[in-house]
Amino acid sequence: MRTSKKWRMGWLLLGALATGCGAAPEATAQQEQTGLRQPTATAAALVETASFDAVLQVPTCAAGASGCDTGPSLVLGRGQLGAEPNAPNTLGGTCADGDSGLFHGDESLDRLKVSTPDDSALAPGKEVTIEATVWAWSGYTADHLDLYLAADASNPSWTYVTTLTPAGAGVQVLTANATLPSEGGSVQAVRAVFRYGGEANPCSSGGYDDRDDLAFGVGTSEPPPPPPPPAPVRPSLVAGGTETSVNLAADGTVWSWGGKSGSYTTDYSAYRAQGRQVWELSDAVSVVSGTGHKLALKTDATVWAWGSNTDGELGNGTTFNASDTPEQVVGLDSVIALAGGNHYSLAVRGDGTVWSWGRNQYGQLGDGTTLGRTLPAQVPGLSNGVQVAAGSHHSLAVDSAGQVWSWGYNSQGELGDGSTTSRFTPVQVPGLTGVVAVAAGVEHSLALKSDGTVWAWGYNSRGQLGDGSTSSRFTPVQVVGLTGVVVAVAAGMEHSLALKSDGTVWAWGDNSYGQLGDGTTSSRFTPVQVPSLSGVVAVAAGTRHSLARDSDGRTWAWGNNELYQLGDGQRMKSATAVPVVNLSNVTQVSAGYWHGLAVRSDGTLWSWGAGTLNSYVLGRARTQQHAPALVTGLANVTAAAAGQKHSLALKSDGSVWSWGSNSYGQIGVGPSGFIYDNPVQVTTLSGVSAIATGDSHSLAVKSDGTLWTWGFNDFGQLGDGTMTGRSLPVQVAGLTGVRAAAGGSRHTLVLHTNGTVSAIGHNNIGQLGDGTTTVRRLTPVPVVGLTGVVAVAAGEDHSLALKSDGTVWAWGYNGSGRLGDGTTTSRNTPVQVVGLTGVVAVAAGYSHSLAVKSDGTVWAWGEGYDGQLGGGDLFSVSYNNPTPKKVLGLSGGRSVAASKAYSLALTQSTGTLSSFGLNWEGQLGDGSYLFRTTPALVVGAGAP
């Protein structure tokens, strides 16, 4: 393989606010999350997002807009590679896309836009800018984008505009100016052809070529009217539970960290220190956390629940079957707001009714009884509800008139009705008007008014009411010292938070665990500012910890961390805010013997693992090795390769950099025997388009199709006709048209542009696939019977090939069933891996194999003793799989990497990374040195 690389507020357990911008534009994120005012309707964007036209068979915009844009998903990918719907998205369905290579490993046209520079309507003869977002191969100089215009989309005749070449690998945005045809039909079109090599042609035929059309109406009509305000679905970002934290990503996925998870036998750990995705949950717009359960509101206004169910808090009609997998709450639809309490749940529907279920011994469900409910039931006497909050045993609701209602436990005056009498049905909190949001702690309550003031009542032993005293209050009192406008509040067990319109965060109450974030553990009876935080758009409070999300999408946490609820990979208190570390937007990953490497879309390289003895492979300071850290001194990285004790990086200028052990010359800079702690350039190489490593040898493919090798050569794996190690790169004679290479322990695979494969080096058990077991081959020999190959991978003593038809073939040693043919018989010629079709990526570990299918699922086979197959099992040879088995809990896969008893999987939509398998040296990058038998997210790899 070529190496490439809606406006209503809701509240959480203990009143923790879960707010945010969801899919809203960043500029309006803070306004939307406040709950103070309805979003202002601004002028519509003049650029229209296209929709698929079944007649023209392409994305199409109506007349009157100043621009037409496919958006991020209509043409994403190429044919069957990636998520492109309605492929090929060309007028009349002509000119099918090439089907060679991998999604976002090879060429792909992902977005197309045409617009007028003066924001006037698209019309014949207008000057326009054409903008194409492409994914360029690592050898991007061979990639070209041709642009064409058609005067009549119903009868297209293409006029060539220009050809553009990307300036780097990966995501590139290419633009050109053009003039629309002055005559023609009422709908014109632009075609973009992104090709590998060849000549400009509106219907090129290359296997890596991608072409997409965009049709748009032309005329002089006025721009489309502004869209209506967003539907009243509450977006949210963060939630703090008793022991856990929850994060809602911009793509609608949900991530959580902290608390107890799994058992000793299945997870080898009772705690999670890193964020992990809540699998099988997507399209979420709000998340809330209860004591032991979580709730999510999806875009279709349904509610999904997971976690503890001892009192029916999941709303599935039972009090058993606690679940780590979200399941839909029965009988609820059209929901606009949620809250999670101490084993009970609340919801507001679009008709303003309030619903409750779960624990009810203090009347917190508000139905007039103290009987628990396992299914949602309507709270009587409430209409026009807009928002709810759930405390430990009491509940709050705000109606559309700005009044507050309360019910449940009242021993400390937390209902605010002037008494300490518990109430089984809602009573109005007197003296409060103009309220837009409420929050509930264990035994105290907060209300935010439309004038930006905050009011509090209930228990006050730690100053959590913020009135300068520790006297409990049975009716609301104003929180003192909060100048300016407060836009959001949150309540923890005995502490409170406020977010101001200037993006600062203020805290008061109990601070015994540093949950106020002011650098001390002294409780505060009036608000103090949380230093070092600015630009905050959402806050949440757990029992004794706090969370904030800023406008850059970063999540910050402080306070109690006994159960890793701060998500910083540590188990200690933090009295000041610390970021939840981030490793999203990964584009390429490589797994070495004991370490991992990841390239991000910004061209930075990150490393982790290697333990104490081999930390030089990290290319950085030897600290926090169990979590990713930046490799300093490198920029514009497009690919990385990890060997046993050395690492390689490829930059966008075609240069190769290396570091680690040079015991066999594998660094490629001169005499062997030295250790390089930091990256050094392999100066004798230029124009490189792909890199790979074996255990102790290195490989580079140049853009001219030649292969260069260096390092260990005891079995001729360098292919230069000798068994002499090389400390400088040498060209493999007689090889041209090389597209990619892969290194095994002591053998090398070469993929040619014609789809055939050659092999070099150790062959004692048939790993070269030439039909023999001749111990070594010093020069390349063809792998028997393979054509149409688009990617190769090499394990310790076995080999894999992915063909363009989506099948996988394997040969070599078959211990533990790593060839995937249902046996443990070794093979000296390729055999098909059984039961696998539609595969888009493969990887070979030492004794196991991985594949990603086009549906995003990941499959594994071979040895699974250390959990590297991701099946949830450890320490038993009976868990070896001679045929592929689906990896648990992974979806949206894009690529995989494998090495010594561990695996890495890269997701397609967010560029996040998951890992499973052996972790003695921290190679899983999950913030621990613990085994993981099911995928655990690399620390901070959750999308913001």
Side-chain angles (χ1 to χ4, degrees):
M1 178 182 64
R2 298 185 303 189
T3 304
S4 71
K5 325 334 119 188
K6 287 183 193 210
W7 168 66
R8 297 211 183 180
M9 304 308 299
W11 305 84
L12 312 180
L13 165 71
L14 312 182
L17 175 65
T19 60
C21 57
E26 182 174 304
T28 63
Q30 180 168 319
Q31 179 179 343
E32 285 196 29
Q33 72 87 36
T34 65
L36 283 179
R37 52 188 70 85
Q38 190 163 343
T40 302
T42 57
L46 296 178
V47 176
E48 180 181 345
T49 300
S51 58
F52 183 75
D53 188 302
V55 176
L56 295 176
Q57 299 184 43
V58 299
T60 304
C61 296
S66 68
C68 182
D69 186 354
T70 64
S73 60
L74 272 185
V75 299
L76 178 65
R78 167 162 50 89
Q80 298 305 306
L81 305 180
E84 179 178 13
N86 309 305
N89 283 301
T90 52
L91 290 170
T94 59
C95 302
D97 297 331
D99 59 3
S100 298
L102 303 174
F103 174 63
H104 281 185
D106 299 282
E107 291 79 4
S108 175
L109 175 63
D110 292 346
R111 189 170 187 169
L112 190 57
K113 174 183 175 182
V114 58
S115 60
T116 59
D118 60 357
D119 292 335
S120 60
L122 293 167
K126 278 280 188 180
E127 295 292 326
V128 295
T129 298
I130 304 172
E131 179 182 297
T133 302
V134 302
W135 180 278
W137 174 50
S138 58
Y140 56 86
T141 56
D143 291 345
H144 304 287
L145 178 74
D146 306 319
L147 297 175
Y148 301 85
L149 288 170
D152 187 351
S154 62
N155 185 27
S157 176
W158 297 107
T159 300
Y160 173 77
V161 176
T162 190
T163 295
L164 305 171
T165 300
V171 177
Q172 301 286 313
V173 178
L174 308 179
T175 61
N177 296 324
T179 303
L180 295 181
S182 58
E183 297 180 355
S186 61
V187 179
Q188 297 187 5
V190 59
R191 170 168 290 182
V193 180
F194 193 45
R195 56 182 168 87
Y196 170 60
E199 302 294 332
N201 188 312
C203 195
S204 59
S205 59
Y208 295 90
D209 296 358
D210 187 9
R211 73 213 100 247
D212 293 300
D213 296 349
L214 177 62
F216 46 92
V218 290
T220 59
S221 60
E222 293 299 316
V233 174
R234 177 183 61 84
S236 62
L237 292 176
V238 287
T242 303
E243 301 170 341
T244 59
S245 303
V246 186
N247 195 40
L248 174 62
D251 64 355
T253 58
V254 177
W255 303 73
S256 67
W257 59 94
K260 299 177 181 179
S261 177
S263 68
Y264 185 86
T265 55
T266 62
D267 198 26
Y268 234 68
S269 173
Y271 305 100
R272 293 288 183 124
Q274 75 290 331
R276 61 205 184 273
Q277 186 173 355
V278 179
W279 301 109
E280 302 183 21
L281 182 62
S282 59
D283 300 320
V285 295
S286 173
V287 289
V288 302
S289 179
T291 298
H293 72 294
K294 310 289 187 297
L295 303 170
L297 177 62
K298 298 181 69 171
T299 54
D300 62 1
T302 59
V303 180
W304 297 71
W306 66 102
S308 169
N309 197 35
T310 59
D311 293 88
E313 55 264 47
L314 299 188
N316 62 8
T318 75
T319 56
F320 53 91
N321 293 336
S323 175
D324 288 331
T325 302
E327 53 188 71
Q328 187 172 351
V329 175
V330 176
L332 269 187
D333 57 16
S334 304
V335 175
I336 60 172
L338 294 172
N342 184 14
H343 295 278
Y344 76 103
S345 307
L346 302 174
V348 183
R349 298 182 62 183
D351 60 3
T353 57
V354 177
W355 297 70
S356 61
W357 62 99
R359 183 178 293 182
N360 194 30
Q361 81 272 40
Y362 296 105
Q364 56 265 50
L365 298 189
D367 63 354
T369 78
T370 55
L371 301 176
R373 294 189 178 270
T374 61
L375 292 171
Q378 185 175 346
V379 179
L382 282 181
S383 60
N384 301 317
V386 295
Q387 187 250 321
V388 283
S392 182
H393 305 298
H394 76 290
S395 305
L396 304 173
V398 181
D399 65 19
S400 57
Q403 302 172 120
V404 179
W405 300 77
S406 61
W407 61 96
Y409 196 52
N410 195 28
S411 68
Q412 300 298 324
E414 54 262 55
L415 300 188
D417 65 349
S419 79
T420 55
T421 303
S422 297
R423 308 291 184 175
F424 301 160
T425 56
V427 294
Q428 185 175 349
V429 179
L432 279 181
T433 58
V435 174
V436 294
V438 286
V442 169
E443 293 178 314
H444 79 289
S445 304
L446 302 175
L448 173 63
K449 298 180 70 170
S450 58
D451 60 4
T453 61
V454 179
W455 297 71
W457 60 97
Y459 194 45
N460 196 28
S461 65
R462 298 300 185 100
Q464 57 263 47
L465 301 188
D467 66 348
S469 79
T470 56
S471 299
S472 297
R473 307 291 183 174
F474 303 158
T475 55
V477 294
Q478 186 173 350
V479 176
V480 301
L482 279 178
T483 58
V485 177
V486 174
V487 295
V489 289
M493 182 176 180
E494 292 179 322
H495 77 289
S496 305
L497 302 175
L499 171 63
K500 294 176 130 184
S501 58
D502 61 2
T504 60
V505 178
W506 297 71
W508 61 97
D510 182 28
N511 198 25
S512 55
Y513 289 84
Q515 58 263 51
L516 302 189
D518 64 348
T520 78
T521 55
S522 300
S523 296
R524 307 290 183 173
F525 305 153
T526 57
V528 293
Q529 185 174 352
V530 180
S532 75
L533 282 181
S534 61
V536 173
V537 298
V539 290
T543 301
R544 292 185 175 95
H545 74 287
S546 305
L547 301 166
R549 173 73 74 84
D550 67 23
S551 56
D552 291 329
R554 296 174 298 184
T555 301
W556 301 77
W558 61 98
N560 190 21
N561 200 24
E562 289 177 333
L563 294 172
Y564 300 119
Q565 53 266 59
L566 301 191
D568 61 353
Q570 304 179 54
R571 190 183 180 193
M572 60 184 295
K573 296 180 186 180
S574 175
T576 56
V578 295
V580 178
V581 291
N582 192 0
L583 188 58
S584 57
N585 300 316
V586 175
T587 59
Q588 189 255 339
V589 61
S590 180
Y593 198 89
W594 299 117
H595 74 295
L597 301 173
V599 181
R600 297 185 66 188
S601 57
D602 59 2
T604 59
L605 179 64
W606 298 67
S607 64
W608 63 93
T612 58
L613 299 179
N614 303 302
S615 57
Y616 43 77
V617 299
L618 300 180
R620 60 172 174 86
R622 304 175 189 184
T623 58
Q624 294 295 316
Q625 291 170 219
H626 55 317
L630 178 67
V631 177
T632 57
L634 283 179
N636 302 314
V637 177
T638 60
Q644 186 180 80
K645 294 184 178 181
H646 76 295
S647 303
L648 301 180
L650 174 64
K651 297 179 68 172
S652 58
D653 60 2
S655 65
V656 176
W657 298 70
S658 60
W659 61 95
S661 171
N662 197 36
S663 56
Y664 299 103
Q666 61 264 50
I667 300 302
V669 295
S672 60
F674 298 95
I675 288 178
Y676 293 82
D677 291 310
N678 299 300
V680 293
Q681 186 175 356
V682 182
T683 56
T684 57
L685 281 179
S686 61
V688 174
S689 60
I691 54 173
T693 59
D695 268 8
S696 301
H697 68 290
S698 304
L699 310 168
V701 179
K702 298 182 73 170
S703 55
D704 61 3
T706 59
L707 177 64
W708 298 70
T709 61
W710 64 99
F712 202 32
N713 197 28
D714 59 335
F715 283 91
Q717 56 263 47
L718 299 189
D720 65 348
T722 76
M723 292 187 294
T724 303
R726 305 291 180 177
S727 59
L728 293 172
V730 294
Q731 184 177 350
V732 179
L735 281 184
T736 58
V738 176
R739 184 173 158 196
S745 180
R746 287 176 169 86
H747 74 290
T748 299
L749 301 178
V750 183
L751 175 61
H752 301 273
T753 54
N754 63 3
T756 62
V757 180
S758 298
I760 320 163
H762 200 200
N763 193 38
N764 67 317
I765 205 159
Q767 56 264 53
L768 299 191
D770 65 347
T772 77
T773 54
T774 301
V775 173
R776 58 178 61 86
R777 299 287 190 177
L778 305 184
T779 56
V781 294
V783 176
V784 175
L786 276 185
T787 59
V789 176
V790 296
V792 290
E796 182 181 29
D797 294 310
H798 78 291
S799 304
L800 301 176
L802 171 61
K803 298 182 72 172
S804 59
D805 61 3
T807 60
V808 180
W809 298 72
W811 61 97
Y813 184 48
N814 199 20
S816 306
R818 67 198 71 181
L819 300 189
D821 66 346
T823 77
T824 55
T825 303
S826 298
R827 311 287 184 174
N828 57 29
T829 57
V831 293
Q832 186 173 352
V833 177
V834 299
L836 275 185
T837 58
V839 175
V840 296
V842 291
Y846 265 55
S847 54
H848 73 293
S849 306
L850 302 173
V852 182
K853 298 180 69 172
S854 58
D855 61 3
T857 57
V858 178
W859 297 73
W861 61 98
E863 184 179 336
Y865 184 81
D866 292 303
Q868 62 265 47
L869 302 187
D873 304 314
L874 272 175
F875 308 135
S876 173
V877 294
S878 66
Y879 299 126
N880 296 337
N881 293 314
T883 57
K885 184 172 77 170
K886 185 178 178 181
V887 175
L888 299 177
L890 277 181
S891 61
R894 182 169 81 194
S895 65
V896 282
S899 189
K900 177 66 175 178
Y902 78 101
S903 306
L904 301 171
L906 179 61
T907 59
Q908 181 168 293
S909 60
T910 61
T912 56
L913 201 58
S914 296
S915 58
F916 41 102
L918 193 64
N919 200 25
W920 282 344
E921 307 290 349
Q923 58 265 51
L924 299 191
D926 67 344
S928 76
Y929 295 101
L930 306 171
F931 287 106
R932 299 291 180 183
T933 65
T934 55
L937 186 70
V938 174
V939 169

